[in-house]
Amino acid sequence: MSNYNIEMWKYANELKTQDSVLGHVHKKSKEATLQNVEIKLNSLGMRSPEPNPDKKKILFLGSSISLGWGIENENSYAEIVNDRLNDENLDYQVLNASVGNYNTFRYTENFLRNQTAIDPEIIVINYFLNDAEILPMGSGNFLLKNSELAASVTIAIKKMIANNKESLNEHYNTLYEPENKGFKLMEGSLAKLAKYAKAEDIKVYLVLIPDIHFLQDYPFLPIHNKIKTISQDYDFEFIDLYETLKGVSFEKLQIIPGDSHPNEFGHTLIGKKLSDILISELK
C-alpha cells in the first residue's frame, strides 16, 4: 500500500514550484506517478489535455479532491464531466486547474493572476469545508520540504483531528465564525472572483463537496447553509453534493484506508451529478 503522507510529500517536490503569493503553483508540462497513478500536467500546469482553441472552456478550480488525487485522470469527475459533454456534442472543454493544498484564496488568486487568458465561459468552484483555512507558506519550512519523516508526522497529526467528529466539528465551527481571519479571507476571495465574473459575463457554479467521513450522521449542514448564503449573495449557482453522497459509508468512498479523498465510485457519483446539471444548462 502506498504511504499517503510520503506520496503527498513527493507531489510537493516533483510537481510543485514555490510562489511568493500562492505558496506554490503547479509546474508546467511535468508528470509524476503518485499513489500508483500518473498525474500529467499540461503546458498551463493543469491536469487536462492541452486547451482546444475550437471549444469554449469550463474551468474547474479547487484542491486535491477535484484534482483527482489517487484517481486515473479518465476516472476523475472533471474528466467524466468533459466526456459526457462530448457525448452530448456540446462544444465545451473542461480544464482542470485544481492544485493540491489550495484554499479559496489560492485557487481564486491563481485564476485571477495566471489563468484569465483562458477566457472561460463557466467557472466551477469545487469547494471543500477546509477551503476557508489559512494555509502556511510552505516555502519557509525547510524541514518539511526536505524531510519525509517530518512531513509524515505533521500530516499524521492533522489526520488525527480529521478523523474525530467532535474535534473536527469544533474546528469548523470556529473557522466559520464571521470574524475568523480564514473565513473573511475566503469570503473576500469569492467576492473578488464574483466581481471579475460579472464584468466578464462568466457564469460561476459553487459545488460544495461534503466531508465523506461522516455522511451517515452528518454534522456540518449549518456550515453548508452558510456557504449557500454566500453563493447566493454573489449570484453563484450553488450545488450541494451532500444529497448525492448522503448515507454512503466512508469505507465505500475512501480511496485507501484513512484517506479522505473519494475513490472512483465517489468520482463517478459526483461526475454524473455535475454533468447532468451542466448538460441541462447548456443544451
Side-chain angles (χ1 to χ4, degrees), residues 113-127:
R113 288 171 179 263
N114 304 318
Q115 298 166 338
T116 54
I118 293 167
D119 192 22
E121 186 162 297
I122 294 172
I123 291 175
V124 179
I125 300 169
N126 297 272
Y127 190 92

Side-chain angles (χ1 to χ4, degrees), residues 80-221:
I80 291 172
V81 172
N82 188 64
D83 290 346
R84 287 204 61 201
L85 296 180
N86 285 335
D87 291 343
E88 297 291 333
N89 295 316
L90 292 168
D91 194 23
Y92 287 85
Q93 179 185 16
V94 174
L95 290 176
N96 190 357
S98 303
V99 179
N101 198 31
Y102 261 22
N103 57 10
T104 302
F105 167 76
R106 288 184 178 182
Y107 53 69
T108 56
E109 203 66 23
N110 192 29
F111 167 68
L112 294 170
R113 288 171 179 263
N114 304 318
Q115 298 166 338
T116 54
I118 293 167
D119 192 22
E121 186 162 297
I122 294 172
I123 291 175
V124 179
I125 300 169
N126 297 272
Y127 190 92
F128 188 67
L129 298 181
N130 68 359
D131 284 2
E133 292 178 351
I134 292 179
L135 300 174
M137 299 291 280
S139 59
N141 195 328
F142 178 86
L143 181 62
L144 276 184
K145 183 169 175 58
N146 294 280
S147 166
E148 290 189 2
L149 177 60
S152 183
V153 169
T154 300
I155 296 172
I157 292 171
K158 290 184 176 180
K159 289 178 71 175
M160 283 176 62
I161 296 174
N163 290 325
N164 183 291
K165 184 191 296 186
E166 288 73 27
S167 298
L168 198 57
N169 203 11
E170 182 179 350
H171 170 71
Y172 284 143
N173 284 333
T174 301
L175 180 62
Y176 282 85
E177 288 177 351
E179 294 306 312
N180 185 286
K181 289 183 180 179
F183 178 83
K184 293 170 73 172
L185 181 63
M186 174 274 292
E187 195 171 25
S189 299
L190 292 180
K192 193 173 178 180
L193 180 65
K195 183 178 179 181
Y196 180 87
K198 184 176 182 180
E200 299 296 326
D201 196 24
I202 300 170
K203 182 160 187 175
V204 179
Y205 291 82
L206 192 149
V207 179
L208 182 47
I209 304 166
D211 190 315
I212 65 172
H213 284 88
F214 311 113
L215 292 169
Q216 294 172 306
D217 183 19
Y218 197 70
F220 308 126
L221 289 180

Side-chain angles (χ1 to χ4, degrees), residues 13 18 21 42 74 79 179 198 201 227-228 252:
N13 280 275
Q18 292 180 8
V21 174
N42 68 15
E74 62 265 29
E79 278 301 301
E179 294 306 312
K198 184 176 182 180
D201 196 24
I227 300 301
K228 181 179 180 180
K252 193 170 181 178

